[in-house]
Amino acid sequence: MFPLHPHDPPSAGPHRLYARLGEDAYARVYLGAAGVEDPVAVKIVRPEYATDPAFRSSFTHEVEAAYGLSSSHVCLVRDADLSGAVPWVAVSRPLGPSLAELIRRDGPLPTEALHPLALALAQGLADLHATRRTHGSLWPDGVLLSSRTALLADPGLEWAISGTEQRAPHPAFAAPEGGATPATDVFSWASTLCFAASGVEGPDGLAKVPLQLRGLIDTCLKRDPRLRPSAHDLVQMLGGPAVPPAWSPVVQSAIDAVADAQRSMLSTAALTPRESPGGDGPPARRRGRLMAAGAGALALAVLATAGTVFAYGRIGGDPEQDPRSTGADGDEGGGLITEAGCLDGPGFPAPEEPLPEDTHFWDPVFSPDGDVLVATSSSGLTVWDWAAGEEIARPTSDSTFTVDPVFAPVGCTVAAAEAVDYENREYPVRLVYTYDLAAGTSTQHLGAQEGPDDNDRWMLKPVEVNSAGFSPDGSRLAVTLTASFGEMSTVVIDTATGEQGEPMAEGLHYGTVFVDDEHIATKDLKEVHIWNAGTGEEVNVLRGDSTTRLAAVPGETQVAYLHEDQVLISDYLTGEEVASFTRDEFETDDAPLFVNLLVDAGNDLVYTAWQVKGASGGWFYHHHIWELSTGEDLAEGVEATGNYRTIVPHPDGEVLAAVTTQDDDLVLIDPDTFEIVERLS
């Protein structure tokens, strides 16, 4: 929640606006109220949609169809103006945080809070479906947590945007078949529960769902929508229809703290007078003075509560000394890579405090020279002198595990994702940074989007990064965003100058890798696409699968990816299959999830990992390490590999880095026995 900007409207119809709540797919959203009535979320359509006849027609249909809906678990339409120059809709808004806000601040929900959440949201969907409505855009930001229950933040109004742009509003939580049906709502319900349990976007967080709910949620994530239960069935299986159990004390306390702060902010802002029709002075100037005063009063309320409720402030040092947004030479837009080894020079300072004992690790990667190991973690991006067993730097305390870190092949520069806070945005924006570990500098990359203005205000909704990759010679960096239909996703950056090329690759792409110095491979949910890195021309399309993992074969015109029950390596120029590796377990595994793919051509190995559901209902990791030349699986029959979520090799093959399944610890393991030789955390 943020203070109103002087350019924000003071009201919408009878609803006075008190603060900005954020944005959704088509509107800016404000906290408002009409007189003594309960608060509402006022959604004012953004200009680019307000002038689009197709959107206005779709939006009008969605809003009018939502009138008269009755549900205790859906925020209902209270008022709207659909014919004005700028349409708006007011939806009931109980005080409290969104699910996404709470988890980003406090971490995943405790086990005891998941059943009340699941039952409340299932009943909300069942109420919608009973009136022949579908929601179409369920995701964690669209779930509100009040002191009593959880609610859908609106009856599915964001789906109006799909009619004009042919896309799901929130693809990370959307069903693979697309569209808006009761079955896609059930898939999004399950994805949202996975996020609540893990903090991981989409279905990838299933492993963190407690066993008592995991089987049900897993069924809702089936690729075939016919195999998913209905929302009515979900309610029955969760013990309803019924009032959901009360929140656990720790969750209740967190929700109440946010609600109390919001209530205080509303009271503070309400004391500020607004222009009346008979006011003195020129209306425009008087409105500006009063709006500024109101914003100042509300800002004081924000600051008063920021320490416990709304603080997403930057972590990790004095902002005046923050090196981000500077090139390796210290000048904005400079080179990204210096010619130095990873243990040369001062680089980033050593961490002032040791890592907390409960730190979780995700994606380790060795530097090309093999001297350091980098891993994302819940405490930030960590840099290790692995031979000494010592953490030597922590460039940021706010890294994110949704993007695998990747090293440039020269120097000691790593690209990784970071969640960045902006003053006028409710939630952080996931952007990619390059960190020159030898020089101790970092550079932010916005990718194929305009970004904020000089006052850190985003005029358009931010688009987050999902992958990045360096060319084999280190001269280029490709950055891919979670773009939607009609948007370009990928840009190529010159690492010597920091200059960015023209956007390419329309739509949603993942797994970006350079297959050689001139060509990029990306993966949508159906095919592998090969692009000319200089011109943006699509060179070839290869068959693929719905997974997003890609790997290049160094020194070859080859790319590795999953297709059905095989890991394929294909020549991207001809499309010819060069090698394939088959998992026999595909015949018996229940919905295995492909979670890792790495080609270590120097040591003639392909590393893969699947997350697999066991016979008892639990989850484990199944690793394969195939020899490229012979196809032999070196991990076959080695039970110790199941102790790790991720395994990555040292460039010389002398050791493996891994993350344990038990506590998400970062460890070094023997490449022959897979036993732990040293714990780094």
Side-chain angles (χ1 to χ4, degrees):
M1 183 181 296
F2 300 94
L4 291 175
H5 187 273
H7 295 297
D8 284 327
S11 62
H15 307 284
R16 177 178 172 181
L17 306 183
Y18 292 95
R20 271 199 187 195
L21 292 172
E23 297 181 359
D24 60 21
Y26 65 88
R28 292 189 176 95
V29 187
Y30 299 88
L31 183 65
V36 296
E37 294 181 2
D38 291 336
V40 290
V42 180
K43 302 189 175 194
I44 300 180
V45 172
R46 294 205 297 268
E48 63 266 32
Y49 295 115
T51 56
D52 182 345
F55 171 81
R56 291 183 68 117
S57 175
S58 178
F59 181 62
T60 298
H61 172 77
E62 293 291 341
V63 172
E64 290 180 344
Y67 274 115
L69 177 70
S70 177
S71 175
S72 300
H73 301 286
V74 181
C75 293
L76 305 177
V77 171
R78 294 255 295 271
D79 195 4
D81 179 357
L82 303 175
S83 59
V86 180
W88 57 265
V89 61
V91 181
S92 58
R93 212 293 181 183
L95 298 181
S98 71
L99 175 62
E101 177 187 350
L102 192 68
I103 290 175
R104 286 169 182 150
R105 194 192 70 208
D106 296 336
L109 292 184
T111 299
E112 61 271 18
L114 293 174
H115 180 262
L117 175 67
L119 178 56
L121 298 185
Q123 291 186 142
L125 288 179
D127 290 339
L128 285 177
H129 296 172
T131 63
R132 299 185 179 275
R133 277 188 64 86
T134 54
H135 192 280
S137 57
L138 176 57
W139 70 315
D141 291 79
V143 173
L144 296 179
L145 305 180
S146 73
S147 60
R148 297 180 180 178
T149 189
L151 305 94
L152 302 176
D154 68 32
L157 303 181
E158 279 187 291
W159 190 249
I161 200 173
S162 71
T164 58
E165 299 192 357
Q166 299 299 309
R167 65 181 177 90
H170 309 295
F173 296 87
E177 69 271 20
T181 68
T184 63
D185 280 349
V186 167
F187 185 98
S188 298
W189 172 89
S191 296
T192 299
L193 266 293
C194 288
F195 175 84
S198 67
V200 179
E201 285 193 358
D204 289 351
L206 181 62
K208 294 292 187 179
V209 175
L211 292 178
Q212 57 266 39
L213 282 175
R214 193 181 301 165
L216 175 59
I217 291 177
D218 185 34
T219 301
C220 296
L221 295 173
K222 294 292 187 183
R223 290 190 59 81
D224 187 340
R226 296 170 298 180
L227 300 179
R228 300 173 201 151
S230 68
H232 175 78
D233 293 335
L234 289 179
V235 172
Q236 297 293 324
M237 288 184 278
L238 291 167
V243 176
W247 299 119
S248 62
V250 64
V251 174
Q252 185 75 58
S253 176
I255 293 172
D256 288 346
V258 175
D260 289 345
Q262 291 172 340
R263 191 174 295 108
S264 175
M265 293 166 72
L266 282 170
S267 299
T268 301
L271 296 176
T272 304
R274 291 293 178 103
E275 177 189 358
S276 63
D280 299 327
R285 293 184 59 191
R286 186 169 185 272
R287 174 180 176 272
R289 290 196 302 271
L290 294 179
M291 287 293 294
L298 190 55
L300 292 175
V302 173
L303 292 173
T305 57
T308 57
V309 181
F310 298 107
Y312 291 110
R314 298 213 47 80
I315 303 172
D318 184 351
E320 293 184 359
Q321 299 177 352
D322 192 351
R324 59 184 61 352
S325 297
T326 63
D329 58 4
D331 297 324
E332 186 174 351
L336 308 180
I337 303 172
T338 54
E339 295 182 4
C342 287
L343 296 180
D344 296 341
F348 289 92
E352 296 182 358
E353 299 289 338
L355 289 166
E357 292 185 2
D358 61 350
T359 297
H360 297 270
F361 290 86
W362 296 294
D363 301 301
V365 59
F366 284 100
S367 60
D369 61 13
D371 287 347
V372 303
L373 176 70
V374 163
T376 53
S377 79
S378 56
S379 298
L381 186 68
T382 62
V383 183
W384 301 81
D385 180 344
W386 63 269
E390 177 185 3
E391 186 191 11
I392 58 175
R394 206 177 303 161
T396 171
S397 299
D398 198 19
S399 65
T400 173
F401 52 81
T402 53
V403 177
D404 295 344
V406 57
F407 267 99
V410 294
C412 193
T413 295
V414 64
E418 179 178 345
V420 184
D421 294 298
Y422 289 90
E423 184 177 352
N424 67 323
R425 293 205 57 79
E426 185 173 3
Y427 304 120
V429 181
R430 187 176 70 234
L431 300 174
V432 73
Y433 281 81
T434 47
Y435 302 93
D436 187 327
L437 301 181
T441 57
S442 64
T443 305
Q444 181 191 90
H445 305 283
L446 293 168
Q449 61 182 328
E450 182 177 342
D453 62 16
D454 293 340
N455 296 316
D456 265 1
R457 294 191 301 260
W458 287 81
M459 297 298 103
L460 299 176
K461 186 170 183 175
V463 183
E464 297 189 306
V465 66
N466 67 42
S467 56
F470 287 96
S471 62
D473 63 2
S475 66
R476 290 168 162 173
L477 169 69
V479 174
T480 296
L481 306 179
T482 55
S484 301
F485 180 85
E487 297 174 338
M488 297 297 174
S489 69
T490 304
V491 294
V492 176
I493 299 163
D494 186 322
T495 60
T497 65
E499 293 182 359
Q500 179 172 293
E502 291 298 318
M504 65 179 75
E506 180 181 316
L508 190 59
H509 292 262
Y510 300 89
T512 304
V513 295
F514 271 89
V515 289
D516 59 29
D517 290 330
E518 300 297 329
H519 295 91
I520 302 167
T522 64
K523 182 76 173 64
D524 62 18
L525 296 179
K526 295 180 180 179
E527 299 165 319
V528 179
H529 299 262
I530 310 298
W531 311 88
N532 184 300
T535 67
E537 177 188 3
E538 188 172 43
V539 175
N540 205 353
V541 179
L542 308 175
R543 60 178 179 163
D545 213 326
S546 61
T547 58
T548 58
R549 294 283 173 175
L550 278 179
V553 181
E556 305 288 346
T557 57
Q558 297 170 5
V559 60
Y561 54 96
L562 182 69
H563 180 62
E564 297 178 348
D565 63 347
Q566 293 183 316
V567 173
L568 298 182
I569 297 180
S570 299
D571 187 300
Y572 81 80
L573 291 174
T574 65
E576 180 182 356
E577 181 181 309
V578 177
S580 64
F581 309 93
T582 303
R583 286 187 72 242
D584 296 333
E585 295 85 359
F586 264 106
E587 297 295 329
T588 56
D589 286 345
D590 183 9
L593 181 64
F594 192 43
V595 294
N596 193 41
L597 173 61
L598 187 151
V599 178
D600 181 10
N603 293 300
D604 194 41
L605 297 172
V606 178
Y607 289 78
T608 63
W610 278 262
Q611 183 178 302
V612 179
K613 187 174 183 180
S616 62
W619 289 83
F620 65 94
Y621 286 79
H622 200 141
H623 293 267
H624 296 267
I625 304 176
W626 283 295
E627 282 191 338
L628 267 169
S629 55
T630 67
E632 179 185 358
D633 184 2
L634 303 183
E636 184 176 6
V638 183
E639 294 184 2
T641 62
N643 297 327
Y644 313 109
R645 299 182 186 277
T646 304
I647 297 174
V648 298
H650 184 273
D652 296 334
E654 60 183 286
V655 71
L656 303 173
V659 175
T660 65
T661 57
Q662 185 67 31
D663 299 305
D664 295 333
D665 289 339
L666 182 62
V667 299
L668 302 175
I669 61 177
D670 186 282
D672 298 316
T673 66
F674 301 97
E675 299 295 334
I676 295 175
V677 297
E678 185 172 1
R679 288 185 177 270
L680 298 179
S681 65

